Amino acid sequence: MPATPSAFETTPTFADLTTIRIGGPIDEFVRPETRDEVIDTVRRADAQGTRLCIIGGGSNMLVSDAPFHGVVVRDMRDGIRVSRSAPGDSGDVIVEADAGANWDDFVAWTVSEGYEGIEGLSGIPGSVGASVVQNIGAYGQEVASSVLSVTAWDRQAGAIVEIGHDNLAFGYRFSALKATMYETPEVQGTGEGRRETRWFPSPRYVVLAVTYRFRRSRQGTVGMGQLAKALGVEKGTRMDLTDIRAAVLSIRATKDMLEDPTRYANPWMAGTKREIPEAGEPNHNRWSCGSFFINPVVTAEHARRYLDGAPQYPGVLPDGTPGVKTSAAWLIDHAGFHKGFRLPGVAADSADGAEPSSAGLSTVHTLALTNRGGATFDDVWRLASCIRRGVDDAYHIDLVPEPVVIR
């Protein structure tokens, strides 16, 4: 039996908890197993004015190596409940999942049960709660398409609230939940007790559970050209859910955009995933935050002037008007940052013959910034900043980081 963390260490570091394996020590780490424990922990941290970080799978975050003076909460609840069939003769089913459930475990469960809706989101690291904050998407699907509502703890009101789909303001890698992360709470108290900090690095609304509407079907729709090509069919073809999931996992594996299963040898990860892939040697291409930059959406005029030859798809601008979405990976590569690119190490006297930085682009995918072993926050951030400057110089686009960055 593996040793429990308490047997040798009081608290983990963020490097123990994140997929990029970077981050400093944590003052307090709490793993609540009931809804009441989740709420009590959040209330206590807020009452004390302590920084609060709700962590899911640790896949979409880049954290400083400095100590985190606050409370980190990892919800250990992973229940799934089929509450009822949807009204009418639609054949749909209503499912509620606890926020702490591992996302890919949940996807695998829906496929095994014959529930269509999120099979294209297979292999994405993280948790059910984090998935709706980010509105994850891949291979022609977004989680928003299946979400009916979110049950959350409102840190401002001190109450459990139900937020319906229409009030979640889902957009491309965006939700109303995510927006509240950067809002400033109403001022509470006076003098030394006065609090004016943002809710960051967690939203005002702490997700407790998510309710979905799925279609009862053993088949799903192949919704993206790349996926269709892998399956040898036309886009829009109906296929068995298990075949779609297998193809998605295979594509993600070829790009090393799956999490490295060796992370589960770390006792701090115990109990967070039910289905753990067989682990071989560590794969540093997978020591990443996933996609580091959001695919930008620009005006049609900007695309015409600067994006000749770049992939272009219909998109929506922040103001809700039509725009052009392009590929961040293409921009990075064509700005001169190719697969495996690494900067010289910061301690080098010159770039000529210097040891490379421990942070670098994946050797198979330019959208993943990776920890090649021993990388620090500054190593990754220096690489990200260099890439952003290069893309801005070449295409007049400021790439926006996708991970939550905690300094």
Side-chain angles (χ1 to χ4, degrees):
M1 177 175 289
T4 60
S6 60
F8 59 87
E9 194 174 6
T10 304
T11 58
T13 66
F14 271 108
D16 293 315
L17 306 178
T18 60
T19 52
I20 198 169
R21 307 197 192 195
I22 290 174
I26 295 165
D27 277 4
E28 183 180 359
F29 182 54
V30 183
R31 290 171 288 183
E33 297 183 353
T34 68
R35 178 178 287 194
D36 285 346
E37 288 176 354
V38 174
I39 293 170
D40 288 347
T41 303
V42 173
R43 292 183 71 168
R44 174 171 59 83
D46 286 343
Q48 295 173 349
T50 303
R51 294 183 82 190
L52 174 72
C53 178
I54 308 295
I55 191 170
S59 60
N60 196 46
M61 55 197 312
L62 177 64
V63 187
S64 166
D65 299 290
F68 181 82
H69 297 303
V71 180
V72 177
V73 181
R74 184 167 66 198
D75 188 345
M76 298 299 289
R77 300 172 306 123
D78 61 358
I80 301 171
R81 296 166 290 280
V82 180
S83 58
R84 63 189 186 278
S85 294
D89 299 322
S90 66
D92 293 354
V93 63
I94 308 301
V95 175
E96 183 184 62
D98 288 332
N102 177 275
W103 174 255
D104 192 55
D105 283 348
F106 181 55
V107 176
W109 178 84
T110 64
V111 169
S112 69
E113 292 294 313
Y115 298 155
E116 175 192 356
I118 56 174
E119 58 281 353
L121 306 182
S122 294
I124 298 177
S127 65
V128 164
S131 73
V132 288
V133 175
Q134 182 70 1
N135 186 21
I136 59 174
Y139 301 103
Q141 290 182 331
E142 284 186 334
V143 70
S145 300
S146 297
V147 172
L148 278 181
S149 63
V150 168
T151 304
W153 173 255
D154 181 349
R155 298 164 66 189
Q156 183 79 67
I160 295 175
V161 295
E162 191 84 10
I163 308 172
H165 180 279
D166 291 347
N167 291 320
L168 288 166
F170 285 122
Y172 175 60
R173 302 298 178 270
F174 179 82
S175 71
L177 302 170
K178 184 176 180 178
T180 67
M181 188 182 302
Y182 303 97
E183 292 177 353
T184 302
E186 293 178 6
V187 175
Q188 299 179 5
T190 60
E192 293 183 358
R194 185 180 178 87
R195 187 180 70 188
E196 295 181 323
T197 58
R198 293 179 175 182
W199 297 114
F200 186 85
S202 294
R204 165 181 166 177
Y205 298 95
V206 175
V207 179
L208 300 172
V210 181
T211 301
Y212 303 85
R213 180 172 183 153
F214 299 122
R215 177 167 292 277
R216 293 181 187 270
S217 175
R218 292 287 174 183
Q219 292 191 324
T221 300
V222 180
M224 188 178 183
Q226 184 182 20
L227 181 57
K229 182 179 179 180
L231 287 163
V233 299
E234 295 293 323
K235 181 180 175 181
T237 300
R238 299 282 292 174
M239 292 196 69
D240 190 281
L241 294 176
T242 57
D243 291 337
I244 293 175
R245 173 172 166 79
V248 169
L249 291 174
S250 177
I251 294 170
R252 295 185 71 90
T254 63
K255 299 177 180 180
D256 277 332
M257 295 297 272
L258 296 169
E259 63 179 334
D260 183 353
T262 61
R263 71 189 298 234
Y264 291 99
N266 181 336
W268 288 109
M269 296 303 300
T272 60
K273 184 168 174 56
R274 294 177 180 176
E275 299 184 16
I276 301 175
E278 184 176 347
E281 293 298 314
N283 182 345
H284 290 286
N285 277 336
R286 298 185 181 186
W287 289 27
S288 76
C289 303
S291 297
F292 198 89
F293 296 107
I294 295 173
N295 289 326
V297 180
V298 300
T299 64
E301 173 61 17
H302 189 109
R304 184 187 66 78
R305 292 184 63 186
Y306 300 112
L307 297 183
D308 183 36
Q312 299 184 30
Y313 313 97
V316 180
L317 292 162
D319 64 3
T321 60
V324 176
K325 183 165 73 171
T326 190
S327 164
W330 187 95
L331 296 175
I332 292 167
D333 185 55
H334 286 76
F337 305 98
H338 307 305
K339 297 170 184 176
F341 174 85
R342 294 162 78 174
L343 291 168
V346 294
D349 294 329
S350 70
D352 185 26
E355 284 293 320
S357 167
S358 295
L361 291 180
S362 165
T363 61
V364 294
H365 200 304
T366 57
L367 202 50
L369 276 62
T370 65
N371 175 0
R372 311 312 299 179
T376 65
F377 173 93
D378 287 343
D379 291 333
V380 175
W381 196 246
R382 191 165 63 97
L383 175 62
S385 300
C386 179
I387 290 171
R388 292 178 75 179
R389 287 193 301 271
V391 170
D392 194 25
D393 288 345
Y395 298 104
H396 301 276
I397 291 174
D398 182 17
L399 292 179
V400 176
E402 186 170 326
V404 175
V405 178
I406 304 175
R407 300 176 189 271

Coordinates of all heavy atoms in Angstrom, one line a residue, residues 12-46:
P12 N 1.5 19.7 0.5 CA 2.3 19.5 -0.8 C 2.7 20.9 -1.3 O 2.4 21.9 -0.7 CB 1.2 18.9 -1.7 CG -0.1 19.6 -1.2 CD 0.1 19.7 0.3
T13 N 3.4 20.8 -2.4 CA 3.7 22.0 -3.2 C 2.8 22.0 -4.4 O 2.2 21.0 -4.8 CB 5.2 22.0 -3.7 OG1 5.4 21.0 -4.6 CG2 6.2 21.9 -2.5
F14 N 2.7 23.1 -5.1 CA 1.9 23.1 -6.3 C 2.6 22.2 -7.4 O 1.9 21.7 -8.3 CB 1.8 24.5 -6.9 CG 0.6 25.3 -6.3 CD1 0.7 26.3 -5.4 CD2 -0.7 24.9 -6.8 CE1 -0.4 26.9 -4.9 CE2 -1.8 25.6 -6.3 CZ -1.7 26.6 -5.3
A15 N 3.9 22.0 -7.3 CA 4.6 21.1 -8.2 C 4.0 19.7 -8.1 O 4.1 18.9 -9.0 CB 6.1 21.2 -8.0
D16 N 3.6 19.3 -6.9 CA 3.0 18.0 -6.6 C 1.6 17.9 -7.2 O 1.2 16.8 -7.5 CB 2.9 17.7 -5.1 CG 4.2 17.6 -4.4 OD1 5.1 16.9 -5.0 OD2 4.4 18.2 -3.3
L17 N 0.9 19.0 -7.5 CA -0.5 19.0 -7.8 C -0.8 19.3 -9.3 O -1.9 19.1 -9.8 CB -1.3 19.9 -6.9 CG -1.1 19.7 -5.4 CD1 -1.9 20.7 -4.6 CD2 -1.5 18.3 -5.0
T18 N 0.1 20.0 -9.9 CA -0.1 20.5 -11.3 C 0.5 19.7 -12.4 O 1.5 19.0 -12.1 CB 0.4 22.0 -11.4 OG1 1.8 22.0 -11.2 CG2 -0.3 22.9 -10.4
T19 N -0.1 19.6 -13.5 CA 0.3 18.8 -14.6 C 1.7 19.3 -15.2 O 2.4 18.5 -15.7 CB -0.7 18.7 -15.8 OG1 -1.1 20.1 -16.1 CG2 -1.9 18.0 -15.3
I20 N 2.0 20.6 -15.0 CA 3.3 21.1 -15.5 C 4.4 20.9 -14.4 O 5.5 21.1 -14.7 CB 3.2 22.6 -15.9 CG1 4.4 23.0 -16.8 CG2 3.0 23.5 -14.7 CD1 4.2 24.3 -17.4
R21 N 4.0 20.5 -13.2 CA 4.9 20.2 -12.1 C 5.8 21.3 -11.7 O 7.0 21.2 -11.5 CB 5.7 18.9 -12.5 CG 4.8 17.8 -12.9 CD 5.5 16.5 -12.9 NE 4.7 15.4 -13.6 CZ 4.9 14.1 -13.5 NH1 5.9 13.7 -12.7 NH2 4.2 13.3 -14.1
I22 N 5.2 22.5 -11.6 CA 5.8 23.7 -11.2 C 5.0 24.4 -10.1 O 3.7 24.4 -10.2 CB 6.0 24.7 -12.4 CG1 7.1 24.1 -13.3 CG2 6.5 26.1 -11.9 CD1 7.2 24.9 -14.6
G23 N 5.6 25.0 -9.1 CA 4.9 25.7 -8.1 C 5.4 25.5 -6.7 O 6.0 24.4 -6.4
G24 N 5.3 26.5 -5.9 CA 5.9 26.5 -4.6 C 5.1 25.8 -3.5 O 4.0 25.3 -3.7
P25 N 5.6 25.9 -2.2 CA 4.9 25.3 -1.1 C 3.6 26.0 -0.8 O 3.4 27.1 -1.1 CB 5.9 25.4 0.0 CG 6.8 26.5 -0.4 CD 6.8 26.5 -1.8
I26 N 2.7 25.2 -0.1 CA 1.3 25.7 0.2 C 1.2 25.7 1.7 O 1.5 24.8 2.4 CB 0.3 24.7 -0.4 CG1 0.4 24.7 -2.0 CG2 -1.1 25.0 0.0 CD1 -0.3 23.6 -2.6
D27 N 0.6 26.8 2.2 CA 0.4 26.9 3.6 C -0.6 25.9 4.2 O -0.3 25.2 5.2 CB -0.2 28.3 4.0 CG 0.9 29.4 4.1 OD1 2.1 29.0 3.8 OD2 0.6 30.5 4.4
E28 N -1.7 25.7 3.5 CA -2.7 24.8 4.0 C -3.4 24.1 2.8 O -3.8 24.8 1.9 CB -3.8 25.5 4.8 CG -4.8 24.6 5.4 CD -5.9 25.3 6.3 OE1 -5.8 26.5 6.4 OE2 -6.8 24.6 6.7
F29 N -3.5 22.8 2.8 CA -4.1 22.0 1.8 C -5.2 21.2 2.4 O -5.0 20.4 3.3 CB -3.1 21.1 1.1 CG -3.6 20.3 0.0 CD1 -4.2 20.9 -1.1 CD2 -3.4 18.9 0.0 CE1 -4.7 20.1 -2.1 CE2 -3.9 18.1 -1.1 CZ -4.5 18.7 -2.1
V30 N -6.5 21.4 1.8 CA -7.7 20.8 2.4 C -8.3 19.9 1.3 O -8.5 20.4 0.2 CB -8.6 21.8 2.9 CG1 -9.8 21.1 3.6 CG2 -8.0 22.7 3.9
R31 N -8.7 18.7 1.7 CA -9.4 17.8 0.8 C -10.8 17.4 1.3 O -11.0 16.3 1.9 CB -8.5 16.5 0.6 CG -7.3 16.8 -0.2 CD -6.3 15.7 -0.3 NE -5.7 15.5 1.0 CZ -4.7 14.6 1.3 NH1 -4.4 13.8 0.4 NH2 -4.2 14.5 2.5
P32 N -11.7 18.3 1.2 CA -13.1 18.0 1.8 C -13.7 16.8 1.0 O -13.6 16.7 -0.2 CB -13.8 19.3 1.6 CG -13.1 20.0 0.5 CD -11.7 19.6 0.6
E33 N -14.5 16.1 1.8 CA -15.2 14.9 1.2 C -16.7 15.0 1.2 O -17.4 14.1 0.8 CB -14.8 13.6 2.0 CG -13.3 13.4 1.8 CD -12.8 12.1 2.5 OE1 -13.7 11.4 3.2 OE2 -11.7 11.6 2.3
T34 N -17.2 16.1 1.8 CA -18.7 16.4 1.7 C -18.9 17.8 1.3 O -18.0 18.7 1.4 CB -19.3 16.2 3.1 OG1 -18.9 17.3 4.0 CG2 -19.0 14.8 3.7
R35 N -20.1 18.1 0.9 CA -20.5 19.5 0.4 C -20.3 20.4 1.6 O -19.8 21.6 1.4 CB -21.9 19.5 -0.1 CG -22.3 20.9 -0.5 CD -23.7 21.0 -1.1 NE -23.8 20.4 -2.4 CZ -24.8 20.5 -3.2 NH1 -25.9 21.2 -2.9 NH2 -24.8 19.9 -4.4
D36 N -20.7 20.1 2.8 CA -20.6 20.9 3.9 C -19.2 21.3 4.2 O -18.8 22.4 4.6 CB -21.3 20.3 5.2 CG -22.8 20.4 5.1 OD1 -23.3 21.1 4.3 OD2 -23.4 19.6 5.9
E37 N -18.3 20.3 4.1 CA -16.9 20.5 4.3 C -16.3 21.5 3.3 O -15.4 22.3 3.6 CB -16.1 19.2 4.3 CG -16.4 18.3 5.5 CD -15.7 17.0 5.4 OE1 -15.1 16.7 4.3 OE2 -15.7 16.2 6.4
V38 N -16.7 21.4 2.0 CA -16.3 22.3 1.0 C -16.7 23.8 1.4 O -15.8 24.7 1.4 CB -16.9 22.0 -0.4 CG1 -16.5 23.1 -1.4 CG2 -16.4 20.7 -0.9
I39 N -17.9 23.9 1.7 CA -18.5 25.3 2.1 C -17.8 25.8 3.3 O -17.4 27.0 3.4 CB -20.0 25.2 2.2 CG1 -20.6 24.9 0.9 CG2 -20.5 26.5 2.8 CD1 -22.1 24.5 1.0
D40 N -17.7 25.0 4.3 CA -17.0 25.4 5.6 C -15.6 25.9 5.4 O -15.2 26.9 5.9 CB -17.1 24.3 6.6 CG -18.5 24.0 7.2 OD1 -19.4 24.9 6.9 OD2 -18.6 23.0 7.8
T41 N -14.9 25.2 4.5 CA -13.5 25.6 4.3 C -13.4 26.9 3.5 O -12.6 27.8 3.9 CB -12.8 24.5 3.4 OG1 -12.8 23.3 4.1 CG2 -11.3 24.9 3.2
V42 N -14.3 27.1 2.5 CA -14.3 28.3 1.8 C -14.7 29.5 2.7 O -14.1 30.6 2.7 CB -15.3 28.2 0.6 CG1 -15.4 29.6 -0.1 CG2 -14.7 27.2 -0.4
R43 N -15.8 29.3 3.5 CA -16.2 30.4 4.4 C -15.1 30.8 5.4 O -14.9 31.9 5.7 CB -17.5 29.9 5.2 CG -18.7 29.7 4.3 CD -19.9 29.3 5.1 NE -20.4 30.4 5.9 CZ -21.6 30.4 6.5 NH1 -22.4 29.3 6.4 NH2 -22.0 31.4 7.2
R44 N -14.4 29.8 5.9 CA -13.4 30.1 6.9 C -12.3 30.9 6.2 O -11.8 31.9 6.8 CB -12.8 28.8 7.4 CG -11.6 29.0 8.3 CD -11.2 27.7 9.0 NE -10.9 26.6 8.1 CZ -9.7 26.5 7.5 NH1 -8.7 27.4 7.7 NH2 -9.4 25.5 6.7
A45 N -11.8 30.5 5.0 CA -10.8 31.3 4.3 C -11.2 32.7 4.1 O -10.5 33.6 4.3 CB -10.4 30.5 3.0
D46 N -12.5 32.9 3.6 CA -12.9 34.2 3.3 C -13.1 35.0 4.5 O -12.8 36.2 4.5 CB -14.3 34.1 2.5 CG -14.1 33.7 1.1 OD1 -12.9 33.7 0.6 OD2 -15.1 33.2 0.4

